[in-house]
Amino acid sequence: MIVELGHFALILAAVTAVVQSIVPLIGAHKRWSGWMAMGDTAAMLQFVLTAAAFAALTYAFVVSDFSVRLVYANSHTLKPMIYKISGVWGNHEGSLLLWVLILTLFGACLAWFGGNLPPTLKARALAVQASIAVAFFAFMLLTSNPFVRMEMVPFNGQDLNPLLQDVGLALHPPFLYLGYVGLSMAFSFAVAALIEGRVDAAWARWVRPWTLAAWIFLTIGIALGSWWAYYELGWGGFWFWDPVENASFMPWLLAAALLHSAIVVEKRESLKAWTILLAILAFGFSLIGTFIVRSGVLTSVHAFANDPERGVFILIILAVFLGGALTLFAARAAVLEAKGVFGMVSREGMLVVNNILLAVACFVVFIGTIWPLVAELFFDRKLSVGPPFFNMAFTPFMVALGALLPIGAMTPWKRGKLGRISRPLVPALVLAIALAGLVWAMQTERTLLGPIGLLLASWMVFGAIFDLWTRTGRGDRNARLRRLRNLPGADWGKAIAHGGLGITMFGIAGLTAWEVEDIRVVQLGEQFSVGAYEMVLEEVHDIEGPNYLATTGTVRVTRNGNEVTVLHPEKRIYPVARMPTTEAAIDYRFLRDIYVVLGDPQDDGGYTVRSYIKPLTNWIWLGCILMSLGGLASLFDRRYRVASGARKTKAVPAE
């Protein structure tokens, strides 16, 4: 009965979304306040009904109701409870329901917290948000219904994909979807502004918090996915340029560009057309990511579905919303005229360069991701675009971005002088060069990648610090420290986020330049050296987990005769899913990781062992955490909260 109630709630939510997509739009056009207010009620009701449907599906997984086809295909009675719950979204249908739940949540948040928005803009944004929900409700109910029953109830389920039975990946999809779907708010605001015929500083101030929240969640989601790939897949890498990884990375790049572009609209009423276009494209690339993950046109380790018919449905959604928004964008070009004038050396100019670098980098990733499909369709050739292409084509844009960030952050609005801007950054540059030189002198293999990475990272971190210090003005040190504490959250957020990006870049450069890898067949009791460490495979034995069988090794690690750690790598087999997995054993430290993977047994009685010394790996995720914290600090700046100061400006749309 609960499953049927959930299905009924899902249908009611779809009907509510249809009402919300029509009634407020008419009300905004006719200036009927009652009809516009209907959008708030419908948005909240739509969220409550979708949440009820999601709760019903979660209940079916928790109690192992195998009469539901989705539960049968993705759960098992022996599975730990946390993975029964994460199994709700560890599949195509359930993840789509989570997608729609978050979509309706953002619409409800707009209804709850958008009280200071102009009524017409709010009503139109709610209507656009609901129209997206209508499309995905239709997609779910017509092609991907999670509540389908089975005629014969099986005794037990087929279990969840073992690779997904992990805490990191249990959290990864919800955060990723909060970012993906959160960009729909920027899209809704952009389309609503185009319909209304008004794009100004107040609009930019309203749209920035939503975009910032989506960017924060997307950053956390990508970092969790990278961390999971690092320790779970047993490949020893944090990023593989997989199509699904790229599908989340492209909207992240465009969202970062949108955040910076919206600043120019807010401060100088310039770049209006470009900012609206970015808002449309950022969500458009989220839809492209949905297509990549769910259509099966590109293979991936962690794609959800392999159904071309569903892919066609998503393509139709993409064409309708992206094509419709771009058509409206072209028709409303007259209202997007820029007002502010600025010189090449100015904050506006630097933000334009920032946007160009991020947008072109996104385009490079898109070409590399989609090119195998294009080659197969039009040239009948099977091609593979791998990490060498992405590393070569993408890295220069990120290096240029990192080099310009400290200068751009300190450049004044409208116009400035490069010499005056650069003077306060000379100490930061000297420190960065000194650190890079120190590393160059200490390292043995004489590769430039590590020192260059440290130079770039130090430049960004020290540049952010000196930027904060120069904002305190002049005076004695105590007075400047007091002013430093009282700087707006956005200033602190910018510095922390830029510093976090620098730390992530250094982590990537250091890992790539100084990693030590060793692959060999090891006998029990044999000692071998990896870098500065000695390792001994002491024993290998079998253990039984809650829903798996495992072969576990014991590897003792020493350095100069002193014990460092004891590691226990595993090879697991999940009998129900009949799928093996590799569980790497990792000794996490601030400056390095020791990473050991147990391979297959050999005919001579030994085991294949892969060992790595991975320097600075944790700096990659530390940088991601700092970027997220920087975004959070900016989000809580009172100037950028939702609809802050909106009552000062009454929007009168151009009819």
Side-chain angles (χ1 to χ4, degrees):
M1 176 62 74
I2 291 179
V3 171
E4 279 67 33
L5 288 174
H7 192 191
F8 185 60
L10 193 63
I11 295 171
L12 286 180
V15 173
T16 306
V18 172
V19 173
Q20 184 184 332
S21 65
I22 297 172
V23 174
L25 209 58
I26 297 173
H29 181 71
K30 298 288 188 180
R31 299 295 195 276
W32 294 343
S33 58
W35 286 45
M36 286 190 284
M38 176 72 75
D40 291 0
T41 305
M44 289 183 281
L45 178 61
Q46 188 187 157
F47 169 66
V48 170
L49 290 169
T50 309
F54 189 82
L57 185 62
T58 304
Y59 173 82
F61 271 85
V62 168
V63 300
S64 298
D65 184 355
F66 297 122
S67 67
V68 180
R69 187 183 301 276
L70 193 66
V71 179
Y72 165 70
N74 296 278
S75 191
H76 191 271
T77 53
L78 295 179
K79 193 165 62 173
M81 180 58 68
I82 184 174
Y83 302 134
K84 286 185 179 182
I85 296 173
S86 64
V88 176
W89 55 79
N91 55 82
H92 167 69
E93 292 82 357
S95 66
L96 190 61
L97 181 56
L98 176 64
W99 210 101
V100 176
L101 175 66
I102 294 172
L103 185 70
T104 60
L105 171 63
F106 274 98
C109 287
L110 177 57
W112 290 329
F113 304 119
N116 289 336
L117 288 168
T120 54
L121 179 67
K122 181 182 178 183
R124 286 171 171 140
L126 284 171
V128 176
Q129 189 77 0
S131 66
I132 300 170
V134 169
F136 278 91
F137 277 124
F139 177 42
M140 185 161 40
L141 291 171
L142 297 178
T143 72
S144 311
N145 193 335
F147 295 105
V148 174
R149 292 275 196 184
M150 300 181 68
E151 293 182 5
M152 301 291 293
V153 181
F155 178 73
N156 218 324
Q158 295 181 330
D159 206 0
L160 181 66
N161 184 335
L163 287 175
L164 306 182
Q165 295 185 38
D166 180 85
V167 175
L169 209 66
L171 299 173
H172 166 64
F175 277 104
L176 204 61
Y177 288 0
L178 283 165
Y180 262 155
V181 184
L183 291 174
S184 66
M185 289 304 303
F187 177 86
S188 296
F189 269 103
V191 174
L194 289 173
I195 296 173
E196 190 143 318
R198 184 186 183 115
V199 179
D200 54 15
W203 175 86
R205 191 175 298 116
W206 294 320
V207 81
R208 279 193 69 209
W210 300 101
T211 307
L212 186 57
W215 182 84
I216 293 169
F217 286 125
L218 203 50
T219 303
I220 297 171
I222 292 172
L224 283 171
S226 172
W227 181 50
W228 168 81
Y230 173 67
Y231 72 79
E232 177 65 24
L233 296 182
W235 298 346
F238 65 94
W239 193 262
F240 306 99
W241 295 107
D242 179 273
V244 174
E245 291 176 330
N246 296 347
S248 60
F249 191 45
M250 290 184 288
W252 185 88
L253 291 169
L254 290 178
L258 174 59
L259 284 172
H260 292 84
S261 179
I263 297 173
V264 182
V265 178
E266 180 185 348
K267 298 291 186 181
R268 298 286 298 144
E269 298 249 359
S270 295
L271 302 186
K272 293 180 182 179
W274 175 245
T275 304
I276 290 286
L277 183 61
L278 279 176
I280 294 170
L281 290 179
F283 181 63
F285 270 88
S286 293
L287 294 179
I288 290 172
T290 304
F291 171 73
I292 289 173
V293 173
R294 301 177 189 276
S295 64
V297 297
L298 294 171
T299 57
S300 166
V301 170
H302 43 302
F304 273 123
N306 192 19
D307 187 347
E309 291 185 4
R310 290 171 175 169
V312 170
F313 205 116
I314 298 172
L315 271 182
I316 293 172
I317 295 174
L318 176 64
V320 169
F321 285 97
L322 192 57
L326 290 176
T327 302
L328 183 60
F329 173 77
R332 286 292 197 179
V335 304
L336 301 176
E337 182 181 357
K339 294 182 180 179
V341 178
F342 55 88
M344 285 295 293
V345 180
S346 62
R347 179 74 63 86
E348 298 94 323
M350 289 296 180
L351 288 171
V352 168
V353 175
N354 161 289
N355 272 226
I356 292 172
L357 291 172
L358 288 169
V360 175
C362 176
F363 181 71
V364 167
V365 176
F366 176 70
I367 292 297
T369 304
I370 211 72
W371 186 250
L373 176 62
V374 173
E376 187 171 354
L377 284 177
F378 295 102
F379 306 111
D380 196 25
R381 296 180 59 189
K382 288 190 177 294
L383 297 176
S384 177
V385 179
F389 165 80
F390 290 105
N391 293 338
M392 186 185 304
F394 178 80
T395 303
F397 297 104
M398 292 298 100
V399 172
L401 182 68
L404 289 173
L405 273 181
I407 299 174
M410 298 185 67
T411 306
W413 294 101
K414 200 170 182 179
R415 65 178 60 87
K417 293 183 179 180
L418 201 56
R420 182 178 297 176
I421 298 163
S422 305
R423 198 173 299 122
L425 288 172
V426 170
L429 181 61
V430 171
L431 284 171
I433 293 174
L435 282 174
L438 177 63
V439 169
W440 170 254
M442 291 174 63
Q443 70 177 12
T444 57
E445 295 185 1
R446 301 300 178 184
T447 173
L448 277 172
L449 182 59
I452 289 175
L454 180 58
L455 172 64
L456 190 63
S458 305
W459 167 243
M460 294 174 66
V461 172
F462 292 140
I465 293 171
F466 278 93
D467 177 32
L468 281 176
W469 186 248
T470 56
R471 292 179 183 276
T472 60
R474 298 186 178 184
D476 64 89
R477 187 174 60 181
N478 291 332
R480 296 186 72 175
L481 286 173
R482 284 195 300 271
R483 288 196 290 269
L484 183 65
R485 289 195 299 269
N486 295 326
L487 285 176
D491 289 342
W492 278 101
K494 177 183 67 174
I496 294 170
H498 289 179
L501 179 60
I503 289 173
T504 294
M505 286 183 174
F506 180 48
I508 294 170
L511 175 61
T512 306
W514 300 318
E515 179 183 29
V516 178
E517 178 181 0
D518 181 89
I519 303 176
R520 67 175 71 203
V521 175
V522 182
Q523 302 293 327
L524 291 178
E526 179 183 350
Q527 179 173 310
F528 58 99
S529 298
V530 183
Y533 299 89
E534 293 78 40
M535 301 185 184
V536 179
L537 179 61
E538 293 188 338
E539 64 172 325
V540 176
H541 60 278
D542 295 331
I543 63 171
E544 184 175 345
N547 62 333
Y548 63 84
L549 304 173
T551 299
T552 302
T554 299
V555 179
R556 189 172 301 277
V557 183
T558 60
R559 183 172 184 176
N560 299 325
N562 299 315
E563 182 176 302
V564 176
T565 185
V566 178
L567 299 174
H568 299 282
E570 291 183 358
K571 283 190 70 69
R572 292 180 180 175
I573 181 72
Y574 289 76
V576 176
R578 298 178 182 177
M579 183 175 176
T581 65
T582 299
E583 302 293 322
I586 307 173
D587 179 44
Y588 293 99
R589 298 293 170 93
F590 183 66
L591 293 177
R592 62 95 184 118
D593 287 351
I594 299 176
Y595 187 107
V596 178
V597 178
L598 182 67
D600 297 323
Q602 303 299 305
D603 294 337
D604 61 358
Y607 290 85
T608 303
V609 175
R610 286 188 289 126
S611 310
Y612 304 87
I613 309 300
K614 293 181 169 291
L616 304 176
T617 309
N618 296 304
W619 290 43
I620 297 172
W621 300 297
L622 172 63
C624 292
I625 293 171
L626 288 175
M627 283 190 276
S628 302
L629 290 176
L632 199 62
S634 295
L635 189 63
F636 281 95
D637 188 316
R638 61 182 181 84
R639 297 174 299 172
Y640 300 135
R641 290 178 187 166
V642 178
S644 172
R647 287 198 184 278
K648 295 186 289 185
T649 307
K650 293 184 178 180
V652 181
E655 297 295 341

